[in-house]
Amino acid sequence: MKNLQAGGFLFVGGAIIMTTTRFGQVVPYIGAGCAVLGVGMLIYYLFSDDGKY
């Protein structure tokens, strides 16, 4: 369950960070990386056997 929550927080947090433009050009790319990592964790957890593959 912890992996599911961590993936969800990474995805939502990364999506929020992607929308920022005030802090320069690098920060939205960091947010995109977090969002992609989070959705990858969510997909992995979805198709695994309760997080244990």
Side-chain angles (χ1 to χ4, degrees):
M1 187 67 177
K2 291 180 183 178
N3 290 339
L4 182 64
Q5 290 175 339
F9 279 122
L10 269 173
F11 175 66
V12 172
I16 290 171
I17 292 172
M18 268 188 346
T19 63
T20 61
T21 57
R22 174 179 281 179
F23 301 113
Q25 299 295 331
V26 178
V27 176
Y29 292 117
I30 294 172
C34 287
V36 167
L37 181 66
V39 79
M41 287 176 68
L42 289 174
I43 290 173
Y44 171 77
Y45 192 82
L46 178 68
F47 289 109
S48 67
D49 183 25
D50 195 29
K52 300 177 186 87
Y53 211 78

